[in-house]
Amino acid sequence: DAKTTQPTSMDCAEGRAANLPCNHSTISGNEYVYWYRQIHSQGPQYIIHGLKNNETNEMASLIITEDRKSSTLILPHATLRDTAVYYCIVPPPPEGGSNYKLTFGKGTLLTVNP
Amino acid sequence: EAGVTQFPSHSVIEKGQTVTLRCDPISGHDNLYWYRRVMGKEIKFLLHFVKESKQDESGMPNNRFLAERTGGTYSTLKVQPAELEDSGVYFCASSRRGPLLNTEAFFGQGTRLTVV
């Protein structure tokens, strides 16, 4: 599995952009980078994923470096409800084409302050 | 479209009893996963179904845990007999069929199991 490294915690002011970094220096060419988050006591929530190009959806943007060894999740206008643990995950390639095993590490606790 | 539904949301049982957790995936999702978060630990993968077949059950802790998905729709996870260390939050997730490296998994709200 490609190991990911994230800061333990970060703070962000409400209304400002939150930039969450992730290192995945051992990522291989066909492995995607996924971001999930878990708001307290809820189930994990999918945010975004990408392979090599930058991606944007209604929740966030994902910036992947050209060498793919790191990425940044950007929440453009953080709100108090974005306070959560954010997980950067690189699932291993499927075995037999049918595996999708998310490995949740400790993630980054993002606290959005008023 | 309904999301992934888990039942019950909470369960408190005594050590040695049996508990069955249920997960209803999003309609049409062939892939179904069970995960568990034990207090203070990270979320851990338990097993993966494709339709009714177990594709990967490498994360199942021991033979006290039995997961089924008869008919390829909803799934159950039975713990028999329950032990204190089985306490935690059990999450179910589902994803649609297709290139599995390029699709997202949708999680339920979890079942909080407390064994006393």
Side-chain angles (χ1 to χ4, degrees):
Chain A
D1 300 11
K3 179 178 170 60
T4 61
T5 305
Q6 300 177 250
T8 302
S9 63
M10 295 182 64
D11 285 281
C12 176
E14 186 179 19
R16 304 297 294 269
N19 296 278
L20 292 90
C22 179
N23 287 322
H24 32 79
S25 58
T26 60
I27 194 171
S28 63
N30 63 347
E31 292 179 322
Y32 283 74
V33 180
Y34 280 79
W35 284 84
Y36 282 78
R37 73 180 181 183
Q38 186 176 27
I39 298 171
H40 181 64
S41 297
Q42 298 182 17
Q45 178 188 25
Y46 165 82
I47 302 173
I48 198 167
H49 72 283
L51 182 61
K52 57 179 69 174
N53 298 319
N54 298 337
E55 302 287 344
T56 296
N57 62 20
E58 64 279 4
M59 289 184 68
S61 294
L62 175 61
I63 307 299
I64 302 175
T65 57
E66 192 169 341
D67 63 8
R68 303 214 318 126
K69 294 184 176 181
S70 65
S71 60
T72 300
L73 178 74
I74 301 173
L75 306 179
H77 306 285
T79 70
L80 299 180
R81 288 177 295 180
D82 291 322
T83 292
V85 178
Y86 287 77
Y87 299 96
C88 169
I89 301 171
V90 178
E95 297 171 7
S98 58
N99 199 357
Y100 183 104
K101 186 186 299 183
L102 294 175
T103 301
F104 289 86
K106 292 181 170 51
T108 296
L109 172 60
L110 174 69
T111 302
V112 181
N113 301 303
Chain B
E1 179 184 76
V4 176
T5 305
Q6 293 187 244
F7 181 83
S9 56
H10 294 81
S11 180
V12 181
I13 62 171
E14 293 183 350
K15 175 182 174 181
Q17 289 186 322
T18 297
V19 63
T20 300
L21 314 181
R22 172 170 170 146
C23 169
D24 286 76
I26 293 173
S27 178
H29 281 193
D30 287 344
N31 296 288
L32 187 148
Y33 315 85
W34 283 97
Y35 289 80
R36 176 176 77 167
R37 179 173 215 157
V38 173
M39 178 74 76
K41 300 289 183 63
E42 298 162 9
I43 300 171
K44 295 292 188 185
F45 167 86
L46 295 179
L47 87 159
H48 169 209
F49 283 99
V50 176
K51 295 187 178 179
E52 66 275 8
S53 300
K54 292 178 185 175
Q55 287 297 124
D56 182 351
E57 50 185 328
S58 61
M60 294 287 266
N62 52 61
N63 59 11
R64 294 185 294 103
F65 289 75
L66 175 63
E68 295 180 319
R69 192 183 182 195
T70 306
T73 54
Y74 70 91
S75 174
T76 57
L77 179 64
K78 180 191 287 187
V79 185
Q80 179 182 30
E83 298 289 344
L84 298 179
E85 64 263 26
D86 300 332
S87 296
V89 183
Y90 290 76
F91 294 106
C92 175
S94 72
S95 67
R96 65 182 183 275
R97 189 174 188 176
L100 294 177
L101 285 184
N102 191 22
T103 185
E104 65 267 35
F106 298 87
F107 283 77
Q109 292 303 297
T111 293
R112 181 174 296 278
L113 174 65
T114 303
V115 183
V116 297

